[in-house]
Amino acid sequence: MPQTPPFSAMFDGSGYNRNLYQAADDSCGGLYYHDNNLLSGSLEALIQHLVPNVDYYPDNQIRKIAPKILQLLTEWTETFPYDFRDERMMRNLKDLAHRIASGEETYRKNVQQMIQCLIRKLAALSQYEEVLAKISSTSTDRLTVLKTKPQSIQRDIITVCSDPYTLAQQLTHIELERLNYIGPEEFVQAFVQKDPLDNDKSCYSERKKTRNLEAYVEWFNRLSYLVATEICMPVKKKHRARMIEYFIDVARECFNIGNFNSLMAIISGMNMSPVSRLKKTWAKVKTAKFDVLEHQMDPSSNFYNYRTALRGAAQRSLTAHSSREKIVIPFFSLLIKDIYFLNEGCANRLPNGHVNFEKFWELAKQVSEFMTWKQVECPFERDRKILQYLLTVPVFSEDALYLASYESEGPENHIEKDRWKSLRSSLLGRV
């Protein structure tokens, strides 16, 4: 699998401050504030502060409660719709909604609209996951196809799409579509097995759902293997060199668009050992543009160059005059690692037992920024033929990649020779 640097190398001491406890400027009923922002406090004080009582909502003003509850439920179902895939959650929502709707006619219409919108989102999610499952079930190893179909009539990516900019556009379609289906709660569920503030209660952990997040990571790996397959498959050296230069141009267009995830997947594919060992092929490639791209995605200093480029793309998105300028697709594995370290590196509670709200503000900030990026609509025209190829064409396994690499440029030492013989025997049935 394409490898990224270990967690420790990607998150150094200059990152998020582990010791968030500070002296607060002001306190109110057990809740502590700094510059009018809630900094810490006990869970009991927060509940006491938020739960309505006689002082907040007198009995004779009960109608004021319904709009607030309806607003809360509407924002919840719009922002975290996947929470309600759980039958218990949906049952509780409908029960509470029914109580609200028993009042004025306006409330009934709003409740009905909220429920219908939620059901549509969940139906779309189920349909999307069915498509993913179908693609996964029909995937085939490229070597199996080559055994039954002469290589001379095999298509490659350049015959399907000769223009690197067009391919970068279609990759952006796939990225934005898959990003769109990742729910913000999946980031929490990916790391939290229990209620983060309670060591005893399970908080629906048995219903953990991170399928769409995992599918997006799988897409990154597929694209890396697709790139490596397309490079290793041609028999002639000049064709392999041409394929490398083609993907360098695609990667550059991805960078210009703001599609950093596809960019990193392409670089990862070209840096896989079966590709990087093709020294005679690389000798025919003009690598200046590739060197620039590798510099932009250099993992040193906690991906400083990439993070600078990402901030530039994010700023461009904020002041965008067109949909094209709004696109920001982060290097997803690094985003996940950042959130992981923030979650693991900062305590949920401070030494005095208070909830560490500053940690959760920072988590919310990172996920909210991602939520803004994933809602951008792709401005490029879809090409079904290219998309179909990218999503379904068989790719080589790691062993098949090594075999193709050795067949193209022979082994250089005894270790490679032994591996080559073993692979020819196991994959091709030859000695």
Side-chain angles (χ1 to χ4, degrees):
M1 300 291 283
Q3 298 295 310
T4 51
F7 282 178
S8 58
M10 301 179 71
F11 192 86
D12 56 21
S14 62
Y16 193 74
N17 184 6
R18 289 171 176 268
N19 184 13
L20 292 173
Y21 182 58
Q22 306 172 17
D25 291 342
D26 191 20
S27 66
C28 180
L31 299 177
Y32 292 83
Y33 296 84
H34 180 74
D35 292 337
N36 293 322
N37 291 319
L38 181 60
L39 187 64
S40 70
S42 67
L43 192 58
E44 293 75 16
L46 179 64
I47 293 173
Q48 184 178 359
H49 180 70
L50 294 177
V51 173
N53 54 44
V54 174
D55 295 326
Y56 286 161
Y57 300 107
D59 291 338
N60 60 356
Q61 297 182 7
I62 194 64
R63 290 183 180 180
K64 291 183 178 180
I65 302 177
K68 297 293 183 181
I69 296 178
L70 183 57
Q71 180 184 2
L72 172 63
L73 293 177
T74 300
E75 292 185 7
W76 188 355
T77 56
E78 288 178 354
T79 308
F80 303 100
Y82 301 171
D83 282 351
F84 299 93
R85 299 187 82 180
D86 187 293
E87 293 179 2
R88 293 169 293 178
M89 291 290 290
M90 180 63 84
R91 187 164 56 249
N92 290 335
L93 172 67
K94 289 183 176 180
D95 179 61
L96 184 55
H98 176 73
R99 296 187 183 188
I100 297 174
S102 61
E104 298 181 7
E105 178 64 24
T106 305
Y107 297 157
R108 281 196 291 271
K109 292 181 180 180
N110 290 341
V111 165
Q112 186 178 20
Q113 183 178 6
M114 175 188 70
I115 297 294
Q116 289 176 347
C117 182
L118 175 60
I119 291 174
R120 284 196 299 269
K121 286 184 177 181
L122 295 180
L125 172 63
S126 296
Q127 186 177 10
Y128 166 72
E129 291 181 344
E130 288 175 5
V131 171
L132 288 183
K134 185 177 180 180
I135 292 174
S136 178
S137 65
T138 56
S139 63
T140 310
D141 181 77
R142 188 69 159 256
L143 189 63
T144 304
V145 177
L146 289 177
K147 286 180 179 179
T148 58
K149 192 174 183 181
Q151 187 168 349
S152 60
I153 60 174
Q154 285 285 325
R155 291 186 303 168
D156 63 23
I157 189 67
I158 296 180
T159 62
V160 175
C161 177
S162 60
D163 179 23
Y165 182 55
T166 300
L167 187 69
Q169 291 179 334
Q170 300 310 304
L171 288 172
T172 302
H173 262 296
I174 296 173
E175 298 280 355
L176 287 175
E177 180 183 49
R178 299 209 169 191
L179 279 180
N180 186 54
Y181 282 99
I182 298 175
E185 63 273 27
E186 292 193 48
F187 289 100
V188 178
Q189 294 168 344
F191 305 128
V192 179
Q193 297 293 331
K194 288 186 174 184
D195 181 343
L197 298 175
D198 194 323
N199 293 325
D200 299 320
K201 298 181 180 178
S202 63
C203 193
Y204 293 60
S205 61
E206 74 276 11
R207 299 282 181 154
K208 175 183 173 185
K209 299 286 185 181
T210 58
R211 178 69 189 104
N212 301 299
L213 188 152
E214 293 165 2
Y216 191 52
V217 174
E218 290 168 4
W219 155 249
F220 178 96
N221 290 324
R222 171 179 167 78
L223 179 54
S224 294
Y225 272 87
L226 174 60
V227 169
T229 298
E230 296 285 345
I231 294 172
C232 289
M233 194 172 61
V235 175
K236 294 184 177 181
K237 182 168 48 183
K238 65 178 182 180
H239 292 161
R240 294 194 299 272
R242 179 190 175 204
M243 189 65 72
I244 290 175
E245 291 181 341
Y246 173 80
F247 276 116
I248 291 173
D249 289 337
V250 174
R252 184 178 62 172
E253 296 298 345
C254 285
F255 178 84
N256 293 335
I257 289 172
N259 181 356
F260 297 105
N261 200 59
S262 288
L263 164 64
M264 193 60 182
I266 293 171
I267 292 176
S268 177
M270 289 194 286
N271 281 332
M272 292 177 72
S273 294
V275 177
S276 62
R277 67 169 298 278
L278 299 173
K279 296 177 182 178
K280 295 178 182 178
T281 301
W282 280 96
K284 289 186 168 293
V285 176
K286 298 176 181 178
T287 59
K289 290 184 288 187
F290 184 62
D291 293 339
V292 171
L293 293 173
E294 280 202 307
H295 176 72
Q296 288 290 346
M297 304 304 287
D298 183 2
S300 63
S301 300
N302 195 20
F303 282 87
Y304 176 81
N305 294 336
Y306 158 70
R307 293 182 190 278
T308 301
L310 180 65
R311 285 196 298 271
Q315 185 61 37
R316 179 188 67 184
S317 179
L318 290 174
T319 59
H321 299 291
S322 66
S323 298
R324 162 71 176 75
E325 296 175 328
K326 292 181 180 180
I327 297 173
V328 182
I329 303 174
F331 173 28
F332 195 66
S333 293
L334 185 57
L335 175 65
I336 291 292
K337 287 180 174 71
D338 284 345
I339 294 176
Y340 172 86
F341 273 106
L342 178 57
N343 183 64
E344 293 296 313
C346 303
N348 292 322
R349 292 185 184 272
L350 299 176
N352 62 0
H354 285 180
V355 177
N356 188 353
F357 288 110
E358 192 170 2
K359 168 188 173 175
F360 294 110
W361 286 130
E362 185 64 26
L363 280 172
K365 177 183 176 182
Q366 291 199 20
V367 175
S368 295
E369 190 172 42
F370 167 79
M371 293 295 292
T372 300
W373 295 338
K374 85 185 190 77
Q375 291 169 359
V376 173
E377 290 188 13
C378 189
F380 308 123
E381 184 177 350
R382 295 174 65 91
D383 188 310
R384 292 187 178 277
K385 180 180 68 172
I386 299 173
L387 292 173
Q388 179 77 4
Y389 185 90
L390 290 170
L391 291 170
T392 63
V393 69
V395 298
F396 282 152
S397 65
E398 185 175 8
D399 283 344
L401 280 174
Y402 271 107
L403 177 59
S405 180
Y406 293 142
E407 295 286 335
S408 297
E409 296 186 19
E412 296 183 346
N413 52 55
H414 291 297
I415 296 176
E416 287 191 345
K417 285 181 181 179
D418 290 342
R419 185 171 191 182
W420 180 39
K421 291 178 182 179
S422 175
L423 291 173
R424 282 175 66 88
S425 176
S426 60
L427 298 180
L428 299 179
R430 300 174 186 172
V431 178

